[in-house]
mmCIF file of all heavy atoms in Angstrom:
data_model
loop_
_atom_site.group_PDB
_atom_site.id
_atom_site.type_symbol
_atom_site.label_atom_id
_atom_site.label_comp_id
_atom_site.label_asym_id
_atom_site.label_seq_id
_atom_site.Cartn_x
_atom_site.Cartn_y
_atom_site.Cartn_z
ATOM 1 N N LEU V 376 -17.956 -10.335 -37.573
ATOM 2 C CA LEU V 376 -18.418 -8.956 -37.456
ATOM 3 C C LEU V 376 -17.385 -8.064 -38.125
ATOM 4 O O LEU V 376 -16.248 -7.967 -37.667
ATOM 5 C CB LEU V 376 -18.589 -8.547 -35.995
ATOM 6 C CG LEU V 376 -18.947 -7.066 -35.785
ATOM 7 C CD1 LEU V 376 -20.345 -6.763 -36.334
ATOM 8 C CD2 LEU V 376 -18.854 -6.662 -34.315
ATOM 9 N N LEU V 377 -17.774 -7.443 -39.233
ATOM 10 C CA LEU V 377 -16.953 -6.434 -39.888
ATOM 11 C C LEU V 377 -17.593 -5.089 -39.618
ATOM 12 O O LEU V 377 -18.771 -4.882 -39.934
ATOM 13 C CB LEU V 377 -16.844 -6.691 -41.393
ATOM 14 C CG LEU V 377 -16.024 -7.922 -41.760
ATOM 15 C CD1 LEU V 377 -16.929 -9.077 -42.155
ATOM 16 C CD2 LEU V 377 -15.042 -7.607 -42.876
ATOM 17 N N PHE V 378 -16.835 -4.176 -39.033
ATOM 18 C CA PHE V 378 -17.401 -2.881 -38.643
ATOM 19 C C PHE V 378 -16.322 -1.811 -38.727
ATOM 20 O O PHE V 378 -15.126 -2.099 -38.829
ATOM 21 C CB PHE V 378 -17.979 -2.958 -37.231
ATOM 22 C CG PHE V 378 -16.948 -3.155 -36.153
ATOM 23 C CD1 PHE V 378 -16.577 -2.117 -35.321
ATOM 24 C CD2 PHE V 378 -16.343 -4.404 -35.965
ATOM 25 C CE1 PHE V 378 -15.625 -2.296 -34.337
ATOM 26 C CE2 PHE V 378 -15.392 -4.594 -34.980
ATOM 27 C CZ PHE V 378 -15.029 -3.537 -34.159
ATOM 28 N N ASP V 379 -16.768 -0.567 -38.713
ATOM 29 C CA ASP V 379 -15.851 0.564 -38.802
ATOM 30 C C ASP V 379 -15.509 1.058 -37.403
ATOM 31 O O ASP V 379 -16.404 1.430 -36.630
ATOM 32 C CB ASP V 379 -16.474 1.698 -39.609
ATOM 33 C CG ASP V 379 -16.683 1.321 -41.068
ATOM 34 O OD1 ASP V 379 -15.866 0.536 -41.584
ATOM 35 O OD2 ASP V 379 -17.647 1.809 -41.681
ATOM 36 N N LEU V 380 -14.220 1.067 -37.097
ATOM 37 C CA LEU V 380 -13.782 1.552 -35.800
ATOM 38 C C LEU V 380 -13.912 3.063 -35.693
ATOM 39 O O LEU V 380 -14.071 3.604 -34.596
ATOM 40 C CB LEU V 380 -12.320 1.149 -35.564
ATOM 41 C CG LEU V 380 -12.059 -0.349 -35.408
ATOM 42 C CD1 LEU V 380 -10.568 -0.630 -35.514
ATOM 43 C CD2 LEU V 380 -12.599 -0.865 -34.102
ATOM 44 N N LEU V 381 -13.828 3.747 -36.829
ATOM 45 C CA LEU V 381 -13.944 5.196 -36.864
ATOM 46 C C LEU V 381 -15.132 5.607 -37.732
ATOM 47 O O LEU V 381 -15.484 4.898 -38.675
ATOM 48 C CB LEU V 381 -12.669 5.832 -37.444
ATOM 49 C CG LEU V 381 -11.358 5.558 -36.710
ATOM 50 C CD1 LEU V 381 -10.187 6.107 -37.523
ATOM 51 C CD2 LEU V 381 -11.366 6.182 -35.311
ATOM 52 N N THR V 382 -15.730 6.744 -37.426
ATOM 53 C CA THR V 382 -16.752 7.292 -38.303
ATOM 54 C C THR V 382 -16.077 7.859 -39.551
ATOM 55 O O THR V 382 -14.845 8.052 -39.580
ATOM 56 C CB THR V 382 -17.538 8.411 -37.604
ATOM 57 O OG1 THR V 382 -16.651 9.523 -37.354
ATOM 58 C CG2 THR V 382 -18.115 7.929 -36.287
ATOM 59 N N ALA V 383 -16.859 8.123 -40.573
ATOM 60 C CA ALA V 383 -16.305 8.683 -41.809
ATOM 61 C C ALA V 383 -15.600 10.009 -41.533
ATOM 62 O O ALA V 383 -14.528 10.298 -42.095
ATOM 63 C CB ALA V 383 -17.417 8.865 -42.842
ATOM 64 N N GLU V 384 -16.172 10.806 -40.660
ATOM 65 C CA GLU V 384 -15.571 12.100 -40.319
ATOM 66 C C GLU V 384 -14.262 11.905 -39.558
ATOM 67 O O GLU V 384 -13.262 12.579 -39.837
ATOM 68 C CB GLU V 384 -16.546 12.928 -39.494
ATOM 69 C CG GLU V 384 -16.029 14.314 -39.144
ATOM 70 C CD GLU V 384 -17.043 15.146 -38.361
ATOM 71 O OE1 GLU V 384 -18.179 14.660 -38.174
ATOM 72 O OE2 GLU V 384 -16.689 16.264 -37.946
ATOM 73 N N GLU V 385 -14.273 10.981 -38.592
ATOM 74 C CA GLU V 385 -13.053 10.732 -37.815
ATOM 75 C C GLU V 385 -11.934 10.216 -38.698
ATOM 76 O O GLU V 385 -10.756 10.517 -38.477
ATOM 77 C CB GLU V 385 -13.347 9.732 -36.698
ATOM 78 C CG GLU V 385 -14.215 10.263 -35.579
ATOM 79 C CD GLU V 385 -14.637 9.185 -34.612
ATOM 80 O OE1 GLU V 385 -14.704 8.004 -35.026
ATOM 81 O OE2 GLU V 385 -14.901 9.508 -33.444
ATOM 82 N N ASP V 386 -12.291 9.421 -39.701
ATOM 83 C CA ASP V 386 -11.277 8.811 -40.566
ATOM 84 C C ASP V 386 -10.579 9.831 -41.447
ATOM 85 O O ASP V 386 -9.499 9.559 -41.981
ATOM 86 C CB ASP V 386 -11.922 7.726 -41.433
ATOM 87 C CG ASP V 386 -10.888 6.834 -42.100
ATOM 88 O OD1 ASP V 386 -10.026 6.289 -41.381
ATOM 89 O OD2 ASP V 386 -10.920 6.707 -43.340
ATOM 90 N N THR V 387 -11.173 11.000 -41.623
ATOM 91 C CA THR V 387 -10.528 12.038 -42.424
ATOM 92 C C THR V 387 -9.354 12.670 -41.679
ATOM 93 O O THR V 387 -8.517 13.331 -42.287
ATOM 94 C CB THR V 387 -11.525 13.140 -42.808
ATOM 95 O OG1 THR V 387 -12.006 13.787 -41.619
ATOM 96 C CG2 THR V 387 -12.697 12.562 -43.596
ATOM 97 N N ILE V 388 -9.294 12.467 -40.366
ATOM 98 C CA ILE V 388 -8.178 12.979 -39.567
ATOM 99 C C ILE V 388 -7.113 11.891 -39.497
ATOM 100 O O ILE V 388 -7.298 10.852 -38.863
ATOM 101 C CB ILE V 388 -8.653 13.364 -38.152
ATOM 102 C CG1 ILE V 388 -9.770 14.409 -38.239
ATOM 103 C CG2 ILE V 388 -7.482 13.877 -37.320
ATOM 104 C CD1 ILE V 388 -10.417 14.723 -36.904
ATOM 105 N N TYR V 389 -6.009 12.122 -40.183
ATOM 106 C CA TYR V 389 -4.992 11.088 -40.355
ATOM 107 C C TYR V 389 -4.502 10.534 -39.019
ATOM 108 O O TYR V 389 -4.285 9.323 -38.886
ATOM 109 C CB TYR V 389 -3.820 11.662 -41.149
ATOM 110 C CG TYR V 389 -2.749 10.656 -41.481
ATOM 111 C CD1 TYR V 389 -2.938 9.721 -42.501
ATOM 112 C CD2 TYR V 389 -1.543 10.634 -40.778
ATOM 113 C CE1 TYR V 389 -1.960 8.793 -42.811
ATOM 114 C CE2 TYR V 389 -0.566 9.710 -41.084
ATOM 115 C CZ TYR V 389 -0.778 8.792 -42.097
ATOM 116 O OH TYR V 389 0.194 7.867 -42.388
ATOM 117 N N GLU V 390 -4.348 11.388 -38.027
ATOM 118 C CA GLU V 390 -3.806 10.943 -36.744
ATOM 119 C C GLU V 390 -4.708 9.906 -36.080
ATOM 120 O O GLU V 390 -4.220 9.050 -35.330
ATOM 121 C CB GLU V 390 -3.613 12.146 -35.819
ATOM 122 C CG GLU V 390 -2.482 13.090 -36.203
ATOM 123 C CD GLU V 390 -2.837 13.984 -37.392
ATOM 124 O OE1 GLU V 390 -4.037 14.034 -37.759
ATOM 125 O OE2 GLU V 390 -1.926 14.604 -37.946
ATOM 126 N N ASN V 391 -6.005 9.977 -36.335
ATOM 127 C CA ASN V 391 -6.931 9.015 -35.715
ATOM 128 C C ASN V 391 -6.639 7.589 -36.157
ATOM 129 O O ASN V 391 -6.867 6.633 -35.407
ATOM 130 C CB ASN V 391 -8.373 9.361 -36.069
ATOM 131 C CG ASN V 391 -8.896 10.538 -35.281
ATOM 132 O OD1 ASN V 391 -8.368 10.880 -34.227
ATOM 133 N ND2 ASN V 391 -9.941 11.189 -35.794
ATOM 134 N N ARG V 392 -6.139 7.426 -37.374
ATOM 135 C CA ARG V 392 -5.882 6.093 -37.904
ATOM 136 C C ARG V 392 -4.762 5.388 -37.145
ATOM 137 O O ARG V 392 -4.664 4.163 -37.173
ATOM 138 C CB ARG V 392 -5.527 6.167 -39.383
ATOM 139 C CG ARG V 392 -6.611 6.802 -40.239
ATOM 140 C CD ARG V 392 -6.183 6.864 -41.685
ATOM 141 N NE ARG V 392 -7.195 7.486 -42.538
ATOM 142 C CZ ARG V 392 -7.084 7.605 -43.852
ATOM 143 N NH1 ARG V 392 -6.004 7.136 -44.477
ATOM 144 N NH2 ARG V 392 -8.042 8.184 -44.551
ATOM 145 N N PHE V 393 -3.920 6.162 -36.463
ATOM 146 C CA PHE V 393 -2.807 5.595 -35.699
ATOM 147 C C PHE V 393 -2.988 5.818 -34.201
ATOM 148 O O PHE V 393 -2.050 5.615 -33.432
ATOM 149 C CB PHE V 393 -1.490 6.203 -36.175
ATOM 150 C CG PHE V 393 -1.115 5.777 -37.566
ATOM 151 C CD1 PHE V 393 -1.574 6.495 -38.664
ATOM 152 C CD2 PHE V 393 -0.344 4.645 -37.787
ATOM 153 C CE1 PHE V 393 -1.254 6.096 -39.955
ATOM 154 C CE2 PHE V 393 -0.018 4.244 -39.066
ATOM 155 C CZ PHE V 393 -0.482 4.967 -40.163
ATOM 156 N N ASN V 394 -4.186 6.212 -33.807
ATOM 157 C CA ASN V 394 -4.489 6.398 -32.386
ATOM 158 C C ASN V 394 -4.902 5.046 -31.826
ATOM 159 O O ASN V 394 -6.086 4.703 -31.759
ATOM 160 C CB ASN V 394 -5.605 7.433 -32.215
ATOM 161 C CG ASN V 394 -5.859 7.787 -30.761
ATOM 162 O OD1 ASN V 394 -5.530 7.023 -29.844
ATOM 163 N ND2 ASN V 394 -6.469 8.946 -30.529
ATOM 164 N N ILE V 395 -3.919 4.256 -31.434
ATOM 165 C CA ILE V 395 -4.185 2.882 -31.008
ATOM 166 C C ILE V 395 -5.060 2.848 -29.763
ATOM 167 O O ILE V 395 -5.905 1.955 -29.611
ATOM 168 C CB ILE V 395 -2.864 2.124 -30.757
ATOM 169 C CG1 ILE V 395 -1.963 2.191 -32.001
ATOM 170 C CG2 ILE V 395 -3.147 0.669 -30.394
ATOM 171 C CD1 ILE V 395 -2.611 1.650 -33.262
ATOM 172 N N GLY V 396 -4.910 3.825 -28.890
ATOM 173 C CA GLY V 396 -5.756 3.881 -27.697
ATOM 174 C C GLY V 396 -7.228 4.027 -28.061
ATOM 175 O O GLY V 396 -8.092 3.337 -27.503
ATOM 176 N N LEU V 397 -7.522 4.912 -29.013
ATOM 177 C CA LEU V 397 -8.899 5.121 -29.457
ATOM 178 C C LEU V 397 -9.436 3.880 -30.159
ATOM 179 O O LEU V 397 -10.567 3.437 -29.890
ATOM 180 C CB LEU V 397 -8.970 6.320 -30.397
ATOM 181 C CG LEU V 397 -10.319 6.580 -31.083
ATOM 182 C CD1 LEU V 397 -11.401 6.855 -30.052
ATOM 183 C CD2 LEU V 397 -10.189 7.733 -32.083
ATOM 184 N N LEU V 398 -8.636 3.309 -31.060
ATOM 185 C CA LEU V 398 -9.075 2.115 -31.789
ATOM 186 C C LEU V 398 -9.318 0.939 -30.844
ATOM 187 O O LEU V 398 -10.275 0.179 -31.013
ATOM 188 C CB LEU V 398 -8.030 1.740 -32.837
ATOM 189 C CG LEU V 398 -7.741 2.787 -33.921
ATOM 190 C CD1 LEU V 398 -6.622 2.308 -34.848
ATOM 191 C CD2 LEU V 398 -8.991 3.115 -34.720
ATOM 192 N N THR V 399 -8.463 0.810 -29.846
ATOM 193 C CA THR V 399 -8.623 -0.264 -28.864
ATOM 194 C C THR V 399 -9.897 -0.077 -28.064
ATOM 195 O O THR V 399 -10.656 -1.030 -27.829
ATOM 196 C CB THR V 399 -7.410 -0.309 -27.914
ATOM 197 O OG1 THR V 399 -6.221 -0.566 -28.675
ATOM 198 C CG2 THR V 399 -7.581 -1.388 -26.857
ATOM 199 N N GLU V 400 -10.161 1.152 -27.640
ATOM 200 C CA GLU V 400 -11.374 1.442 -26.877
ATOM 201 C C GLU V 400 -12.617 1.074 -27.679
ATOM 202 O O GLU V 400 -13.554 0.463 -27.139
ATOM 203 C CB GLU V 400 -11.399 2.928 -26.520
ATOM 204 C CG GLU V 400 -12.603 3.351 -25.706
ATOM 205 C CD GLU V 400 -12.579 4.839 -25.393
ATOM 206 O OE1 GLU V 400 -11.467 5.403 -25.259
ATOM 207 O OE2 GLU V 400 -13.668 5.433 -25.289
ATOM 208 N N ARG V 401 -12.612 1.399 -28.973
ATOM 209 C CA ARG V 401 -13.768 1.091 -29.819
ATOM 210 C C ARG V 401 -13.917 -0.429 -29.978
ATOM 211 O O ARG V 401 -15.035 -0.959 -29.960
ATOM 212 C CB ARG V 401 -13.599 1.762 -31.176
ATOM 213 C CG ARG V 401 -13.567 3.286 -31.118
ATOM 214 C CD ARG V 401 -14.944 3.882 -30.959
ATOM 215 N NE ARG V 401 -14.903 5.320 -30.749
ATOM 216 C CZ ARG V 401 -14.807 6.232 -31.710
ATOM 217 N NH1 ARG V 401 -14.757 5.839 -32.987
ATOM 218 N NH2 ARG V 401 -14.772 7.511 -31.423
ATOM 219 N N LEU V 402 -12.802 -1.122 -30.152
ATOM 220 C CA LEU V 402 -12.855 -2.571 -30.326
ATOM 221 C C LEU V 402 -13.355 -3.257 -29.057
ATOM 222 O O LEU V 402 -14.155 -4.206 -29.125
ATOM 223 C CB LEU V 402 -11.481 -3.109 -30.722
ATOM 224 C CG LEU V 402 -11.381 -4.611 -30.986
ATOM 225 C CD1 LEU V 402 -12.378 -5.060 -32.039
ATOM 226 C CD2 LEU V 402 -9.951 -4.975 -31.407
ATOM 227 N N VAL V 403 -12.907 -2.807 -27.914
ATOM 228 C CA VAL V 403 -13.380 -3.363 -26.641
ATOM 229 C C VAL V 403 -14.881 -3.131 -26.498
ATOM 230 O O VAL V 403 -15.628 -4.026 -26.075
ATOM 231 C CB VAL V 403 -12.607 -2.749 -25.451
ATOM 232 C CG1 VAL V 403 -13.279 -3.104 -24.122
ATOM 233 C CG2 VAL V 403 -11.160 -3.230 -25.458
ATOM 234 N N THR V 404 -15.336 -1.929 -26.870
ATOM 235 C CA THR V 404 -16.768 -1.616 -26.805
ATOM 236 C C THR V 404 -17.570 -2.556 -27.692
ATOM 237 O O THR V 404 -18.617 -3.089 -27.286
ATOM 238 C CB THR V 404 -17.014 -0.156 -27.232
ATOM 239 O OG1 THR V 404 -16.366 0.729 -26.313
ATOM 240 C CG2 THR V 404 -18.500 0.164 -27.266
ATOM 241 N N ALA V 405 -17.084 -2.762 -28.929
ATOM 242 C CA ALA V 405 -17.782 -3.659 -29.853
ATOM 243 C C ALA V 405 -17.793 -5.093 -29.338
ATOM 244 O O ALA V 405 -18.798 -5.807 -29.471
ATOM 245 C CB ALA V 405 -17.111 -3.606 -31.223
ATOM 246 N N THR V 406 -16.702 -5.510 -28.729
ATOM 247 C CA THR V 406 -16.616 -6.873 -28.200
ATOM 248 C C THR V 406 -17.617 -7.079 -27.072
ATOM 249 O O THR V 406 -18.320 -8.100 -27.019
ATOM 250 C CB THR V 406 -15.191 -7.160 -27.693
ATOM 251 O OG1 THR V 406 -14.252 -6.911 -28.742
ATOM 252 C CG2 THR V 406 -15.058 -8.600 -27.240
ATOM 253 N N LYS V 407 -17.703 -6.115 -26.175
ATOM 254 C CA LYS V 407 -18.650 -6.224 -25.066
ATOM 255 C C LYS V 407 -20.087 -6.227 -25.582
ATOM 256 O O LYS V 407 -20.956 -6.902 -25.020
ATOM 257 C CB LYS V 407 -18.424 -5.085 -24.075
ATOM 258 C CG LYS V 407 -17.110 -5.218 -23.306
ATOM 259 C CD LYS V 407 -16.929 -4.083 -22.320
ATOM 260 C CE LYS V 407 -15.644 -4.261 -21.506
ATOM 261 N NZ LYS V 407 -15.442 -3.137 -20.539
ATOM 262 N N GLU V 408 -20.331 -5.482 -26.655
ATOM 263 C CA GLU V 408 -21.660 -5.481 -27.259
ATOM 264 C C GLU V 408 -22.009 -6.876 -27.776
ATOM 265 O O GLU V 408 -23.145 -7.353 -27.615
ATOM 266 C CB GLU V 408 -21.705 -4.468 -28.402
ATOM 267 C CG GLU V 408 -23.059 -4.328 -29.071
ATOM 268 C CD GLU V 408 -24.042 -3.498 -28.268
ATOM 269 O OE1 GLU V 408 -23.648 -2.938 -27.212
ATOM 270 O OE2 GLU V 408 -25.209 -3.407 -28.689
ATOM 271 N N MET V 409 -21.027 -7.555 -28.390
ATOM 272 C CA MET V 409 -21.266 -8.905 -28.909
ATOM 273 C C MET V 409 -21.457 -9.910 -27.772
ATOM 274 O O MET V 409 -22.238 -10.850 -27.887
ATOM 275 C CB MET V 409 -20.105 -9.343 -29.803
ATOM 276 C CG MET V 409 -19.973 -8.556 -31.102
ATOM 277 S SD MET V 409 -21.422 -8.698 -32.187
ATOM 278 C CE MET V 409 -22.211 -7.089 -31.897
ATOM 279 N N ILE V 410 -20.756 -9.696 -26.662
ATOM 280 C CA ILE V 410 -20.909 -10.579 -25.501
ATOM 281 C C ILE V 410 -22.334 -10.490 -24.943
ATOM 282 O O ILE V 410 -22.907 -11.490 -24.492
ATOM 283 C CB ILE V 410 -19.874 -10.223 -24.418
ATOM 284 C CG1 ILE V 410 -18.466 -10.604 -24.890
ATOM 285 C CG2 ILE V 410 -20.196 -10.911 -23.094
ATOM 286 C CD1 ILE V 410 -17.357 -10.155 -23.960
ATOM 287 N N ASN V 411 -22.919 -9.291 -25.007
ATOM 288 C CA ASN V 411 -24.245 -9.078 -24.443
ATOM 289 C C ASN V 411 -25.375 -9.255 -25.449
ATOM 290 O O ASN V 411 -26.542 -9.326 -25.049
ATOM 291 C CB ASN V 411 -24.319 -7.666 -23.845
ATOM 292 C CG ASN V 411 -23.396 -7.490 -22.646
ATOM 293 O OD1 ASN V 411 -23.259 -8.392 -21.832
ATOM 294 N ND2 ASN V 411 -22.751 -6.344 -22.562
ATOM 295 N N LEU V 412 -25.051 -9.338 -26.726
ATOM 296 C CA LEU V 412 -26.078 -9.492 -27.753
ATOM 297 C C LEU V 412 -26.619 -10.924 -27.719
ATOM 298 O O LEU V 412 -25.842 -11.883 -27.764
ATOM 299 C CB LEU V 412 -25.475 -9.185 -29.124
ATOM 300 C CG LEU V 412 -26.442 -9.077 -30.309
ATOM 301 C CD1 LEU V 412 -27.288 -7.815 -30.184
ATOM 302 C CD2 LEU V 412 -25.655 -9.056 -31.621
ATOM 303 N N PRO V 413 -27.922 -11.114 -27.641
ATOM 304 C CA PRO V 413 -28.476 -12.474 -27.547
ATOM 305 C C PRO V 413 -28.006 -13.401 -28.663
ATOM 306 O O PRO V 413 -27.740 -14.586 -28.410
ATOM 307 C CB PRO V 413 -29.992 -12.235 -27.611
ATOM 308 C CG PRO V 413 -30.187 -10.870 -27.049
ATOM 309 C CD PRO V 413 -28.991 -10.087 -27.506
ATOM 310 N N ALA V 414 -27.879 -12.883 -29.886
ATOM 311 C CA ALA V 414 -27.515 -13.736 -31.021
ATOM 312 C C ALA V 414 -26.084 -14.258 -30.933
ATOM 313 O O ALA V 414 -25.752 -15.290 -31.523
ATOM 314 C CB ALA V 414 -27.703 -12.981 -32.329
ATOM 315 N N THR V 415 -25.219 -13.557 -30.197
ATOM 316 C CA THR V 415 -23.810 -13.953 -30.131
ATOM 317 C C THR V 415 -23.334 -14.241 -28.713
ATOM 318 O O THR V 415 -22.190 -14.644 -28.517
ATOM 319 C CB THR V 415 -22.918 -12.853 -30.751
ATOM 320 O OG1 THR V 415 -23.225 -11.585 -30.136
ATOM 321 C CG2 THR V 415 -23.161 -12.741 -32.248
ATOM 322 N N SER V 416 -24.183 -14.025 -27.740
ATOM 323 C CA SER V 416 -23.806 -14.299 -26.355
ATOM 324 C C SER V 416 -23.450 -15.775 -26.193
ATOM 325 O O SER V 416 -24.164 -16.658 -26.655
ATOM 326 C CB SER V 416 -24.964 -13.938 -25.424
ATOM 327 O OG SER V 416 -24.649 -14.261 -24.089
ATOM 328 N N GLY V 417 -22.341 -16.036 -25.554
ATOM 329 C CA GLY V 417 -21.907 -17.411 -25.337
ATOM 330 C C GLY V 417 -20.975 -17.935 -26.404
ATOM 331 O O GLY V 417 -20.393 -19.017 -26.246
ATOM 332 N N MET V 418 -20.814 -17.203 -27.509
ATOM 333 C CA MET V 418 -19.885 -17.635 -28.552
ATOM 334 C C MET V 418 -18.445 -17.383 -28.109
ATOM 335 O O MET V 418 -18.161 -16.434 -27.373
ATOM 336 C CB MET V 418 -20.128 -16.871 -29.860
ATOM 337 C CG MET V 418 -21.380 -17.266 -30.599
ATOM 338 S SD MET V 418 -21.426 -16.472 -32.245
ATOM 339 C CE MET V 418 -22.963 -17.171 -32.882
ATOM 340 N N GLU V 419 -17.527 -18.234 -28.574
ATOM 341 C CA GLU V 419 -16.106 -17.971 -28.373
ATOM 342 C C GLU V 419 -15.691 -16.847 -29.315
ATOM 343 O O GLU V 419 -16.099 -16.821 -30.479
ATOM 344 C CB GLU V 419 -15.283 -19.229 -28.631
ATOM 345 C CG GLU V 419 -15.532 -20.320 -27.609
ATOM 346 C CD GLU V 419 -14.514 -21.434 -27.690
ATOM 347 O OE1 GLU V 419 -13.963 -21.637 -28.791
ATOM 348 O OE2 GLU V 419 -14.267 -22.094 -26.662
ATOM 349 N N LEU V 420 -14.867 -15.928 -28.820
ATOM 350 C CA LEU V 420 -14.531 -14.730 -29.570
ATOM 351 C C LEU V 420 -13.062 -14.717 -29.987
ATOM 352 O O LEU V 420 -12.181 -15.117 -29.215
ATOM 353 C CB LEU V 420 -14.828 -13.484 -28.735
ATOM 354 C CG LEU V 420 -16.263 -13.336 -28.211
ATOM 355 C CD1 LEU V 420 -16.371 -12.088 -27.349
ATOM 356 C CD2 LEU V 420 -17.245 -13.275 -29.374
ATOM 357 N N GLY V 421 -12.811 -14.239 -31.196
ATOM 358 C CA GLY V 421 -11.453 -14.066 -31.687
ATOM 359 C C GLY V 421 -11.353 -12.771 -32.474
ATOM 360 O O GLY V 421 -12.362 -12.175 -32.861
#
């Protein structure tokens, strides 16, 4: 899964690129989505 952690608008704000808390929150959200998605549910994640 290759995806954008920030929207195009958010990425224009330089500080967002180093906001590890925000990036982590987005990554956790995407991971949980993959856990619940039928096509990827049950897969080992890295």
Side-chain angles (χ1 to χ4, degrees):
L376 175 67
L377 291 103
F378 67 105
D379 294 328
L380 293 167
L381 300 173
T382 66
E384 182 178 355
E385 290 172 334
D386 194 53
T387 63
I388 302 173
Y389 184 76
E390 289 76 13
N391 284 339
R392 301 179 181 183
F393 291 88
N394 186 338
I395 305 303
L397 173 61
L398 299 177
T399 299
E400 181 181 329
R401 297 282 173 83
L402 182 55
V403 168
T404 297
T406 305
K407 290 181 177 179
E408 183 78 5
M409 293 299 104
I410 291 174
N411 294 321
L412 189 70
T415 53
S416 177
M418 287 188 178
E419 293 192 333
L420 304 177

